[in-house]
Amino acid sequence: MIAYGFLPFSAYVISDFIFFHRNRSISFDVLVRQVRFTGVEALGLVVLIAMLIGALIIVQGYPLLAAIGQGNWIYDILISTIVRDLGPFIVCFIVLARSGTAITTELGNMVVSKEIDALISMGVSPISYLVAPRVLGMVISLVLLMSYFVACGIFGGYLVSNAFQSIPVSTFFARLIGELHWLDIVIMLVKVALSGLFISLISSYHGLTVNRAITEVPQRNIKAVGRGLISLCLIHVGLTLLYIVMVGN
């Protein structure tokens, strides 16, 4: 389906992505469906995992820190784990495994069933109509899911912390905010936004590179997940190193 490589494909999509409001070929319905599927329907799973991680951090970490008289370090650990490092990676991995594979499968099936050819014959760009709104929807959805994850992870940590020490809500969040740096929020948002961009681009590219056989769809899914996971690791490790350098300076 696609006669050019991943980089030209990405440049084409990003140009549509930037001028989203000007391109009449872009489907707003596809955007809404992508946000609903990725950012709303995955909410229950993300909330559950966030609360479990927040609770486990307190259960495992607080007794050890309290034993050496450093109980306040738990706030820094919560921020590092939930906001800056582990949280964004978990949310992005869930989206890759759930929504990334769905995009590859859907677009691959559309190629096989000649729906893409039908769009082209009507003068509609399949990249503008199908891919650009998915890219924008994925980025929006990941930012929303990450917000849910942070809120629920911290709330889960607060609930469990009361089993060890009764802390008023105002005190708990005042201490937490006192340890939170603006750079933590920036790094978190950049991680999920870049991850959403690459997940959607990689998944869409592999979906549209299916040729004519339905058996290619699972093969493309495997490649999309593998390369998507590599991109996630590179993005998150690179931005974490950047954070360390910026804080060190």
Side-chain angles (χ1 to χ4, degrees), residues 79 84-85 181 183-184 187 238-248:
I79 291 170
R84 192 174 64 242
D85 296 318
H181 194 274
L183 194 56
D184 296 318
I187 290 293
L239 288 172
T240 296
L241 293 175
L242 178 63
Y243 174 85
I244 292 171
V245 171
M246 294 179 70
V247 171

Side-chain angles (χ1 to χ4, degrees), residues 61 63 81 87 101 144 158 179 189 195 211 216 218 232 239:
T81 305
T101 55
L144 291 175
Y158 170 74
E179 296 294 332
L189 293 176
S195 298
N211 289 323
E216 290 184 51
L232 288 186
L239 288 172

Side-chain angles (χ1 to χ4, degrees), residues 3-247:
Y4 36 88
F6 177 73
L7 291 179
F9 169 80
S10 300
Y12 189 107
V13 175
I14 290 172
S15 66
D16 274 350
F17 175 81
I18 293 173
F19 300 105
F20 185 86
H21 61 289
R22 298 183 187 176
N23 193 336
R24 295 183 179 181
S25 297
I26 294 176
S27 172
F28 185 74
D29 290 338
V30 174
L31 170 63
V32 172
R33 288 199 300 270
Q34 186 65 52
V35 173
R36 184 176 68 246
F37 177 72
T38 303
V40 178
E41 294 180 10
L43 178 58
L45 177 61
V46 168
V47 167
L48 176 62
I49 293 175
M51 295 191 73
L52 288 174
I53 289 177
L56 284 172
I57 291 171
I58 299 293
V59 169
Q60 296 292 326
Y62 187 81
L64 296 175
L65 294 173
I68 60 174
Q70 300 294 336
N72 285 335
W73 282 8
I74 199 65
Y75 300 104
D76 187 59
I77 294 174
L78 278 172
I79 291 170
S80 175
T81 305
I82 294 177
V83 177
R84 192 174 64 242
D85 296 318
L86 184 62
F89 187 82
I90 288 176
V91 172
C92 293
F93 182 76
I94 291 172
V95 169
L96 171 63
R98 185 178 181 274
S99 301
T101 55
I103 290 174
T104 303
T105 301
E106 185 179 6
L107 293 179
N109 288 336
M110 291 179 72
V111 172
V112 175
S113 63
K114 306 298 179 77
E115 293 178 58
I116 301 296
D117 291 338
L119 286 175
I120 295 173
S121 67
M122 291 187 292
V124 177
S125 167
I127 293 179
S128 298
Y129 185 76
L130 297 173
V131 178
R134 281 176 167 81
V135 172
L136 182 57
M138 185 74 78
V139 173
I140 293 172
S141 299
L142 266 170
V143 172
L144 291 175
L145 285 175
M146 194 62 226
S147 303
Y148 304 147
F149 189 94
V150 170
C152 295
I154 292 173
F155 181 67
Y158 170 74
L159 291 179
V160 176
S161 68
N162 278 275
F164 298 95
Q165 181 183 0
S166 180
I167 305 175
V169 176
S170 58
T171 302
F172 178 86
F173 284 97
R175 292 176 180 176
L176 189 73
I177 292 172
E179 296 294 332
L180 184 65
H181 194 274
W182 65 268
L183 194 56
D184 296 318
I185 304 295
V186 172
I187 290 293
M188 177 193 75
L189 293 176
V190 173
K191 279 182 177 180
V192 295
L194 277 180
S195 298
L197 177 65
F198 275 87
I199 289 170
S200 53
L201 286 174
I202 291 170
S203 300
S204 300
Y205 176 78
H206 282 283
L208 291 175
T209 48
V210 171
N211 289 323
R212 301 300 174 189
I214 194 69
T215 53
E216 290 184 51
V217 175
Q219 297 172 0
R220 287 293 172 182
N221 252 323
I222 293 171
K223 290 183 179 180
V225 170
R227 293 175 185 179
L229 185 57
I230 292 171
S231 70
L232 288 186
C233 292
L234 293 175
I235 290 169
H236 287 254
V237 170
L239 288 172
T240 296
L241 293 175
L242 178 63
Y243 174 85
I244 292 171
V245 171
M246 294 179 70
V247 171

